Amino acid sequence: MSEQKRRSQTRMVPVPSESIVPERDLGKPPVLETHHLGIEFGGLKAVDDFNLTIGRTEIAGLIGPNGAGKTTVFNLLTKVYEPTQGTVMINGRDTKGMNITQASQLGVARTFQNIRLFSQMTVEENVRIGLHNQIKYDMFTGILRLPRYWKQERKQHTEALELLSIFDMQDLADVKAGSLPYGAQRRLEIVRALATNPCLLLLDEPAAGMNPHETSELMENIAKIRDRFQIAILLIEHDMSLVMGVCEGICVLNFGKVIAKGTADEIQNNPVVIEAYLGKRKEG
Amino acid sequence: MSVKQKKLIYNLVTIGLVAAAWLIFTLLLNHDAGVPRKERILSSSMKDQLIPICCWIVMAVSLNLVVGISGELSLGHAGFMSIGAFTGIVVSGWLLNGFAVEDATLRLVLAMVAGGLTAGIAGVLIGIPVLRLRGDYLAIVTLAFGEIIKNVLNCVYVAADGRHLNLGFINNNIAGTMLLNGPNGAKVKTIATVNAGFILVLITLVIVLNLINSRSGRAIMAVRDNRIAAESMGVPVTKYKMMAFVTAATLAGMAGALYGLNFATLLPTKFSFNESINVLVFVVLGGIGNILGSVISATALTILPEKLRFLQNYRMLVYAVVLIVVMLATNNRTIRAWFNTLSERLRPGKREEAKSHE
Ligand SMILES: Nc1ncnc2c1ncn2[C@@H]1O[C@H](COP(=O)(O)OP(=O)(O)OP(=O)(O)O)[C@@H](O)[C@H]1O
Ligand SMILES: [Mg+2]
């Protein structure tokens, strides 16, 4: 009890507070822990000493000015890059030396800032790729069309439509992914990521290119997804209404370094954050 | 009509077309067998081309699996055909000389299976190091592979001495009946049949079309469309690249065995870089990723040079011009639009594509 109290007090600004985990997740092991995570690109420290802990069912935000290193953090968490310093622990497992596929199999799924759909394939097929490791059968079953093929295909189909219905997209199942409008492509990426049955969902600017109406709908859906799947969500976003509206904990990055952590209110009123976004106020 | 139905129809049309051709040619061949030369419907050159056409269809469809579906460039597909052909010739000759297997069909089947196996193994050996890499390494390595195979087979001598196979490299002083004779090629007892050709085409189509419309095939296409996204979905990229590449190599090996057992002599230089490029031309002209297109273009482009024989020396010139004209035509907006409306009902996803081009 007192331990919980202590941690909930230390979880706010200023740095270096370790944790912004909401209280309901404190008893359980965190989904993600990073310790002193860092990467250098030829002398440039894109991310430096990045410490973050995310609870089981937390919705957390990662914000910061352009070029702060937010996407690079995602690339480190999903093993697109191997960190030059520090560790990434997913579900208590150290991901050192793993590749992207292995990290995904540990339960991390993501969307991309510059959309990466399988554009020549249909919406449903995109989701089915997300189900690749969930509903399986091997190559020969597929070629010989054994009974298991039909059974698993039907399962994939039902599951894919079920997932698409989160965003009311089941009617678009047969449309080529590349020909969807921008907002729908972003939503499809989320559905596809959810299909992998993750415990941590990483969203890289999910509202980019969406109109205000779509954005507020997305905000509701992010909360719904968390409630329904009981997963943790970490999102990068420049739209502050979305971040402040849905994120329980927020981590602010500038020039690769964490400059603040805390709740929406704390972040909004933090002078260091305001300075990072707006520049230093001139004296006199 | 849903995409699923369209795909089903497309697959049925592809397989139905080949099955119908098989039926028609069987009837024609039966008819021709019983009547004097004058009343025959099939010209003898057409008849001789049936088996090679089947082989080239299999080559084109299997290469399309690598180039169109898996999105990797392979420039040495004829190398796998060559391995299959010479393995098939050795196996068939060995069975006849060493084991007195008189049944030609059995020999043919075993030769094709062996040809497919060795070519498949060669595919694994090339794929393991190369398919891990990104970029155009596969094109370079397969190109080299095709040339190496051609030159190696140019130096290989194989003789069947009873049940014993004697192997000579550069050294042709080996005992027994010569099966492979280095640069002088192989003397082959031809056992290939038109039926075997059509069956191989049908097997190939069923394998490739069923693969494309399955979990594995979708994974292969996902890796093609976006490698990083596929990896992030937990798809093991190398495994699926291997799957497409080795399947294609195996099919090419089987086609090679059939091809090799169709001619009285076969020189290793037959399977040169030119042949690999030729198959690539079939694939590109028929449409990258379009299996039915590969079947049609392989057929048309195998017949065409024969039909142009009357032009003598100008033959290849005209062939080249025809290729260029067809490519220009298929890239022309108006002609494509017209073609699209025609084939809209046949080809999956075509309508969306046409829309997104505007
Ligand atoms: N592969 C790389 N090689 C070299 N530098 C890189 C690489 N990836 C990122 N960087 C650099 O790291 C810094 C952070 O980039 P990152 O894409 O993470 O920013 P971001 O916070 O996502 O910005 P934005 O809001 O614009 O998306 C930038 O200066 C970028 O140029
Ligand atoms: Mg970014």
Side-chain angles (χ1 to χ4, degrees):
Chain A
M1 194 62 211
S2 69
E3 160 78 358
Q4 245 184 29
K5 193 121 196 233
R6 196 180 60 78
R7 289 193 61 178
S8 68
Q9 278 166 352
T10 57
R11 62 184 257 229
M12 300 314 163
V13 274
V15 261
S17 78
E18 276 290 304
S19 171
I20 47 172
V21 174
E23 282 175 36
R24 67 170 182 283
D25 289 335
L26 279 179
K28 303 165 205 154
V31 165
L32 172 82
E33 278 175 280
T34 67
H35 299 294
H36 311 293
L37 187 62
I39 187 164
E40 266 180 53
F41 295 114
L44 169 87
K45 283 194 170 165
V47 175
D48 190 18
D49 197 25
F50 182 81
N51 298 297
L52 183 68
T53 305
I54 294 186
R56 286 274 124 197
T57 59
E58 176 178 358
I59 300 181
L62 183 58
I63 63 172
N66 288 112
K70 305 178 296 292
T71 300
T72 307
V73 168
F74 272 22
N75 285 337
L76 287 169
L77 300 183
T78 54
K79 303 307 284 186
V80 174
Y81 301 139
E82 185 69 35
T84 47
Q85 295 134 32
T87 52
V88 177
M89 313 272 285
I90 293 162
N91 276 324
R93 292 265 307 271
D94 192 346
T95 62
K96 193 170 167 37
M98 286 189 180
N99 61 30
I100 305 176
T101 307
Q102 287 164 329
S104 147
Q105 285 164 1
L106 279 185
V108 191
R110 72 178 290 187
T111 66
F112 297 88
Q113 182 171 358
N114 43 351
I115 298 174
R116 288 175 175 271
L117 285 170
F118 309 119
S119 48
Q120 300 295 308
M121 298 165 75
T122 66
V123 168
E124 182 184 335
E125 284 171 331
N126 270 269
V127 182
R128 277 164 175 251
I129 294 296
L131 293 169
H132 186 82
N133 288 322
Q134 304 305 312
I135 303 173
K136 296 187 185 183
Y137 60 87
D138 64 22
M139 173 196 181
F140 296 101
T141 312
I143 288 177
L144 299 175
R145 300 269 148 125
L146 301 179
R148 190 175 152 77
Y149 163 83
W150 300 103
K151 194 181 127 209
Q152 298 295 78
E153 282 285 291
R154 219 172 310 122
K155 249 195 193 167
Q156 281 199 351
H157 175 70
T158 339
E159 184 70 29
L161 288 192
E162 171 83 30
L163 285 163
L164 282 169
S165 70
I166 297 174
F167 289 110
D168 255 333
M169 288 177 77
Q170 62 276 50
D171 295 339
L172 296 171
D174 280 344
V175 177
K176 218 184 235 186
S179 63
L180 286 178
Y182 204 69
Q185 293 201 7
R186 289 225 174 268
R187 287 189 286 268
L188 176 57
E189 274 212 332
I190 299 177
V191 175
R192 186 182 65 175
L194 276 175
T196 65
N197 190 21
C199 49
L200 173 63
L201 180 62
L202 306 175
L203 305 176
D204 199 342
E205 305 200 12
M210 286 189 180
N211 60 38
H213 172 71
E214 282 180 307
T215 304
S216 68
E217 234 176 42
L218 177 72
M219 199 158 94
E220 283 169 31
N221 277 319
I222 288 174
K224 259 196 232 162
I225 287 170
R226 191 271 313 273
D227 294 342
R228 177 167 157 191
F229 295 93
Q230 288 293 308
I231 56 175
I233 298 174
L234 175 62
L235 59 90
I236 296 175
E237 191 45 72
H238 286 296
D239 185 323
M240 285 308 144
S241 68
L242 186 136
V243 176
M244 300 304 167
V246 76
C247 294
E248 299 164 276
I250 296 168
C251 175
V252 189
L253 213 56
N254 197 17
F255 295 116
K257 284 196 167 70
V258 176
I259 55 167
K261 274 182 193 171
T263 61
D265 286 341
E266 289 163 335
I267 294 296
Q268 269 165 327
N269 301 321
N270 186 322
V272 185
V273 176
I274 295 168
E275 188 188 310
Y277 269 92
L278 302 176
K280 216 181 183 96
R281 187 175 297 145
K282 280 213 175 86
E283 298 289 329
Chain B
M1 210 183 336
S2 80
V3 173
K4 237 181 218 161
Q5 282 167 315
K6 275 191 210 165
K7 274 184 188 162
L8 185 69
I9 292 177
Y10 174 83
N11 293 352
L12 288 180
V13 166
T14 310
I15 289 181
L17 212 65
V18 174
W22 186 13
L23 186 72
I24 290 168
F25 280 111
T26 311
L27 292 177
L28 289 179
L29 288 171
N30 279 344
H31 170 268
D32 286 0
V35 297
R37 188 172 291 268
K38 263 190 181 165
E39 293 166 31
R40 287 182 190 167
I41 302 170
L42 284 177
S43 68
S44 73
S45 87
M46 186 63 218
K47 202 175 123 193
D48 290 344
Q49 273 198 296
L50 280 177
I51 295 172
I53 287 173
C54 289
C55 296
W56 293 120
I57 290 177
V58 174
M59 290 299 289
V61 170
S62 57
L63 184 64
N64 208 342
L65 179 60
V66 177
V67 176
I69 307 301
S70 169
E72 293 278 346
L73 186 55
S74 166
L75 295 177
H77 211 48
F80 295 112
M81 194 184 193
S82 177
I83 291 183
F86 289 100
T87 309
I89 289 168
V90 168
V91 167
S92 161
W94 190 31
L95 286 172
L96 186 65
N97 288 304
F99 301 86
V101 180
E102 297 292 341
D103 186 347
T105 315
L106 180 63
R107 279 205 330 266
L108 181 60
V109 170
L110 290 176
M112 282 167 71
V113 169
L117 271 179
T118 44
I121 291 169
V124 173
L125 293 181
I126 293 176
I128 285 175
V130 178
L131 290 175
R132 288 165 182 279
L133 307 171
R134 289 160 209 223
D136 297 326
Y137 295 100
L138 190 69
I140 298 162
V141 172
T142 47
L143 185 143
F145 161 77
E147 290 305 292
I148 291 169
I149 287 296
K150 186 181 80 182
N151 290 310
V152 166
L153 285 171
N154 228 2
C155 307
V156 170
Y157 297 82
V158 177
D161 189 8
R163 296 201 165 186
H164 202 264
L165 269 189
N166 288 327
L167 195 75
F169 195 72
I170 305 179
N171 162 29
N172 62 357
N173 204 359
I174 49 178
T177 325
M178 277 310 216
L179 298 177
L180 297 193
N181 214 344
N184 300 323
K187 291 272 174 291
V188 182
K189 208 166 154 34
T190 60
I191 51 174
T193 62
V194 174
N195 283 344
F198 276 104
I199 291 172
L200 181 62
V201 173
L202 286 176
I203 290 177
T204 303
L205 287 176
V206 168
I207 289 180
V208 172
L209 291 174
N210 277 358
L211 181 65
I212 293 174
N213 294 295
S214 75
R215 169 176 174 265
S216 308
R218 283 191 294 270
I220 293 170
M221 290 186 280
V223 173
R224 169 198 67 190
D225 276 7
N226 202 314
R227 184 188 171 115
I228 294 198
E231 283 177 305
S232 302
M233 297 297 116
V235 174
V237 169
T238 311
K239 172 181 163 185
Y240 285 104
K241 280 191 183 294
M242 279 292 271
M243 188 182 281
F245 189 66
V246 174
T247 308
T250 308
L251 292 171
M254 296 179 80
L258 185 70
Y259 191 88
L261 292 167
N262 183 47
F263 297 101
T265 45
L266 189 67
L267 300 179
T269 46
K270 165 73 191 158
F271 303 103
S272 61
F273 180 59
N274 277 347
E275 291 300 338
S276 295
I277 292 298
N278 234 344
V279 181
L280 195 60
V281 169
F282 298 162
V283 172
V284 172
L285 218 65
I288 289 179
N290 184 345
I291 304 298
L292 177 57
S294 287
V295 174
I296 293 170
S297 73
T299 312
L301 294 184
T302 312
I303 296 173
L304 187 65
E306 288 301 315
K307 291 284 173 221
L308 292 177
R309 226 168 243 294
F310 69 95
L311 292 169
Q312 295 160 355
N313 289 343
Y314 300 104
R315 186 164 66 113
M316 286 329 274
L317 179 67
V318 174
Y319 179 74
V321 171
V322 170
L323 282 187
I324 293 169
V325 169
V326 171
M327 286 203 203
L328 286 178
T330 45
N331 274 320
N332 183 297
R333 266 173 161 271
T334 346
I335 297 176
R336 266 176 83 147
W338 176 77
F339 188 73
N340 278 349
T341 45
L342 252 188
S343 62
E344 203 167 50
R345 283 167 186 281
L346 282 185
R347 294 191 47 195
K350 201 71 210 184
R351 199 178 312 186
E352 285 84 27
E353 195 178 72
K355 248 185 229 159
S356 70
H357 275 308
E358 280 156 17

